[in-house]
Amino acid sequence: MKNHTVKKVVIAGGGTAGWLAAAALSRQLGALIEIELVESDAIGTVGVGESTIPTICSFHALLGIDEAEFMRATQATFKLGIEFENWGRDGDRYVHGFGQLGKATWMGEFHQFWLHARSLGFGGDIGDYCLETRALNHRKFATSKNPVLNYAYHLDATRYAQFLRRHCEARGVSRTEGNIREVCRAKENGFIQSLLLDDGRAVQGDLFIDCTGFRALLMEQTLDVGFEDWGHWLPTDRAYALQSQPVEPARPNTRAIAHSAGWRWQIPLQSRMGNGMVFCSEYQSDDEARAAFLAEIDGKPLFDPRLIRYRAGRRKKAWEKNCIALGLSSGFVEPLESTSIHLIMIGITRLLQLFPFDGIAPSLQDRFNQQSRDELEKVRDFVVLHYKLTEREDSAFWRYCKHMSVPDSLAERIQLFRESAQVHRNADELFRPDSWVQVMLGQRLYPQSYHPMGRLMSEDQLRQALDGLKSNIHRAVDKLPAHQVFIERYCAAASTAVIT
Ligand SMILES: Cc1cc2nc3c(=O)[nH]c(=O)nc-3n(C[C@H](O)[C@H](O)[C@H](O)COP(=O)(O)OP(=O)(O)OC[C@H]3O[C@@H](n4cnc5c(N)ncnc54)[C@H](O)[C@@H]3O)c2cc1C
């Protein structure tokens, strides 16, 4: 279909996905295309999605966003990783830090040395060799050049969409408020022609981006592309969300604390704590989850918990006819590793790279769909890993997770690590070997054997090398200010409640 030139893009939905798409398209292609975004104030946004991963920093650079301004506007704090509690066993704790573990060589990753040291009775914790993990543990942070920390943000989702909207409107994106009543299609080829609003206005376009959230108004309700359900691998299907007053200075990390039928999150912002309770409705009722959740909130709740229902899985196509799904309309992997906003950003980047100026060629569509699928499946595998590797048998939920079958792609990785400590990163894959290592070891998967590279050094040399790495990290972290102090200095939002 090469006769459908694209001059106007219509974005349906104004949540994080819609406004990020508008911001990137206007910044990169604004001179070539017209952009209109339609959203309904009455429907609103999902209002969660507050923990991110480091790729957000480069995406913001692409948009020309000033970091301190963005942080003030969204009450943001910095994030160096995720602290997992009670996952391997009740009482366990480990960190998935954003940084590099020790020093890798061309022959193998750092953990191969560490495993050898461990077999000799020294080496400490693998997290001791990650700058970001040590800074996280000591609640230190700075955006300094020495040391350079790999970081992301915690942000207020509602304020983020508002911030992006202001950013876009200043750059010529037009916004139309209204409820989309009908999606109108051409008889001859089924392409979307316009969105019909409640008041009778029709918003026409050449390319439509479905950012309508879980509704997937265009992609599912109109184009009916189908959904691949992953609930058997990712059984949680509900979450309560609630904000509370902070009771301690903001940590530079998200907390993911496992409970009997799922896990709960804590995401610290400058003036409040974001809390969430993720659970599986087959093993815990809404009332039970709500009561358990409220009992765990530390600060004063700022409103009643809000229940969100979801389904894990992916839309069978991310691009169909002249419509592309971004955000929740394209699929969802639960928020354990904070990957959804990243997936929106990578989807937008791909759209910019494959943009169909001269018409919608099936080869472009196929490429887009293939990449979207690969990325989401790899993220899915990484998240499933956390459940599968539990040793918990204290509830029906955890017994299910421990004994469930997993995708072959994940089963192979687990086996490879279990037998020989090998990890790898495939093309288009988000998580680096260091991420896999931290989670697998954190969840008590200790390999049966490892690469002999550690044995090429004497015991003394290995001990000295590891001590040297650790003391460099200690010195670097000692120089950093407390995270809370850095925020107050660098990007304090107007209404920040200062806690000392
Ligand atoms: C429990 C939970 C926790 C999460 N935590 C994280 C996290 O920590 N990190 C992360 O990266 N992601 C997280 N996510 C995902 C994240 O929330 C989303 O990826 C992100 O908010 C993008 O949402 P969206 O823009 O696709 O949809 P939404 O925010 O739902 O926006 C949909 C938009 O479509 C509009 N709309 C819908 N129907 C119509 C209509 N008929 N007419 C007009 N407009 C319409 C709405 O008004 C709205 O503007 C989480 C998700 C859930 C469910």
Side-chain angles (χ1 to χ4, degrees):
M1 174 45 99
K2 289 285 281 176
N3 57 2
H4 189 94
T5 53
V6 175
K7 297 201 181 75
K8 179 170 175 195
V9 176
V10 173
I11 299 170
T16 301
W19 284 115
L20 278 172
L25 287 171
S26 62
R27 166 104 176 164
Q28 301 299 329
L29 304 180
L32 305 175
I33 53 171
E34 187 191 338
I35 302 161
E36 181 170 354
L37 184 145
V38 183
E39 68 174 321
S40 158
D41 288 341
I43 294 175
T45 64
V46 70
V48 281
E50 310 208 314
S51 186
T52 64
I53 58 173
T55 49
I56 192 173
C57 299
S58 41
F59 197 81
H60 278 183
L62 184 98
L63 299 183
I65 285 176
D66 177 82
E67 183 175 70
E69 185 192 339
F70 144 76
M71 294 194 72
R72 278 192 294 272
T74 62
Q75 299 269 352
T77 63
F78 292 97
K79 173 181 171 189
L80 292 169
I82 305 175
E83 197 178 357
F84 288 92
E85 294 163 55
N86 306 337
W87 281 82
R89 292 182 192 166
D90 205 5
D92 278 3
R93 174 190 182 273
Y94 72 92
V95 170
H96 172 196
F98 289 145
Q100 190 181 315
L101 292 176
K103 279 206 170 86
T105 73
W106 64 268
M107 212 189 307
E109 305 291 335
F110 168 77
H111 69 280
Q112 306 283 4
F113 290 110
W114 179 82
L115 284 166
H116 185 52
R118 191 174 174 271
S119 76
L120 299 172
F122 62 92
D125 193 282
I126 191 81
D128 295 344
Y129 302 92
C130 177
L131 173 68
E132 286 74 3
T133 298
R134 186 167 174 90
L136 178 161
N137 285 332
H138 289 76
R139 303 193 191 180
K140 300 275 201 98
F141 186 85
T143 56
S144 66
K145 293 221 161 42
N146 181 22
V148 176
L149 291 166
N150 198 26
Y151 64 85
Y153 312 107
H154 302 119
L155 51 86
D156 179 315
T158 306
R159 288 172 198 260
Y160 188 46
Q162 289 162 354
F163 171 80
L164 291 168
R165 176 181 162 188
R166 287 195 298 277
H167 181 88
C168 290
E169 288 183 326
R171 283 156 186 81
V173 174
S174 69
R175 170 184 183 267
T176 299
E177 204 285 318
N179 180 54
I180 304 164
R181 189 176 66 202
E182 195 184 330
V183 180
C184 307
R185 300 169 68 185
K187 283 212 176 58
E188 67 278 14
N189 58 11
F191 274 40
I192 297 175
Q193 288 179 315
S194 61
L195 308 179
L196 192 63
L197 308 188
D198 272 349
D199 61 7
R201 280 176 297 166
V203 180
Q204 281 159 347
D206 304 310
L207 183 72
F208 289 79
I209 307 188
D210 186 347
C211 298
T212 59
F214 287 128
R215 283 180 179 77
L217 196 60
L218 283 64
M219 212 42 143
E220 193 61 53
Q221 294 189 34
T222 307
L223 298 174
D224 199 15
V225 297
F227 189 79
E228 191 177 304
D229 197 307
W230 291 340
H232 46 299
W233 293 317
L234 292 167
T236 71
D237 57 359
R238 290 182 192 194
Y240 276 109
L242 167 69
Q243 297 163 10
S244 61
Q245 280 182 351
V247 293
E248 59 175 15
R251 300 170 187 231
N253 64 275
T254 301
R255 287 176 79 191
I257 307 154
H259 63 80
S260 64
W263 59 282
R264 63 189 174 87
W265 76 71
Q266 280 188 353
I267 299 177
L269 297 189
Q270 290 190 34
S271 57
R272 65 162 167 87
M273 178 65 85
N275 308 276
M277 177 90 160
V278 173
F279 62 103
C280 174
S281 58
E282 209 180 310
Y283 298 97
Q284 194 169 38
S285 71
D286 293 356
D287 288 347
E288 285 166 349
R290 191 177 190 279
F293 182 38
L294 285 173
E296 296 286 355
I297 304 288
D298 294 331
K300 185 171 171 246
L302 298 176
F303 52 73
D304 280 343
R306 195 163 53 87
L307 183 65
I308 303 158
R309 294 181 170 81
Y310 59 81
R311 208 155 50 117
R314 71 172 189 97
R315 203 67 61 203
K316 285 188 180 155
K317 286 184 185 171
W319 182 343
E320 170 74 345
K321 299 193 186 288
N322 61 335
C323 179
I324 288 165
L326 287 175
L328 298 173
S329 64
S330 66
F332 185 57
V333 166
E334 60 134 285
L336 186 59
E337 283 283 353
S338 332
T339 41
S340 291
I341 294 174
H342 161 80
L343 289 164
I344 296 170
M345 293 174 169
I346 200 81
I348 295 170
T349 308
R350 183 163 43 251
L351 173 59
L352 290 169
Q353 288 164 346
L354 301 177
F355 197 87
F357 288 104
D358 297 329
I360 293 170
S363 52
L364 277 183
Q365 259 176 297
D366 290 348
R367 175 86 185 128
F368 191 93
N369 284 330
Q370 185 61 47
Q371 280 186 298
S372 308
R373 177 191 168 147
D374 283 356
E375 271 158 13
L376 197 58
E377 285 181 351
K378 282 166 188 150
V379 165
R380 173 202 68 195
D381 283 3
F382 190 62
V383 174
V384 174
L385 177 78
H386 300 64
Y387 288 98
K388 177 64 187 169
L389 289 188
T390 189
E391 292 189 356
R392 291 182 63 154
E393 300 247 22
D394 55 306
S395 70
F397 173 79
W398 288 110
R399 283 193 293 279
Y400 171 81
C401 295
K402 184 176 172 189
H403 298 291
M404 71 182 167
S405 67
V406 295
D408 290 347
S409 45
L410 175 60
E412 283 158 20
R413 279 186 193 257
I414 293 177
Q415 192 179 359
L416 192 59
F417 190 74
R418 177 176 280 127
E419 290 176 355
S420 51
Q422 291 292 337
V423 278
H424 56 276
R425 184 185 199 178
N426 295 318
D428 294 333
E429 189 165 357
L430 170 62
F431 290 103
R432 292 178 296 122
D434 286 350
S435 291
W436 286 88
V437 168
Q438 290 176 77
V439 174
M440 292 204 259
L441 291 174
Q443 303 254 162
R444 297 174 173 269
L445 180 63
Y446 291 107
Q448 291 150 1
S449 80
Y450 50 86
H451 194 281
M453 59 200 246
R455 296 205 289 269
L456 297 172
M457 302 164 97
S458 70
E459 188 176 328
D460 270 358
Q461 283 172 323
L462 182 59
R463 198 185 286 273
Q464 269 175 28
L466 295 189
D467 285 348
L469 286 168
K470 274 200 273 197
S471 51
N472 286 344
I473 289 175
H474 287 203
R475 272 197 301 275
V477 171
D478 285 349
K479 285 196 301 195
L480 294 171
H483 176 234
Q484 179 77 32
V485 169
F486 184 76
I487 285 180
E488 281 158 23
R489 202 190 297 156
Y490 179 68
C491 57
S495 56
T496 306
V498 178
I499 305 148
T500 47

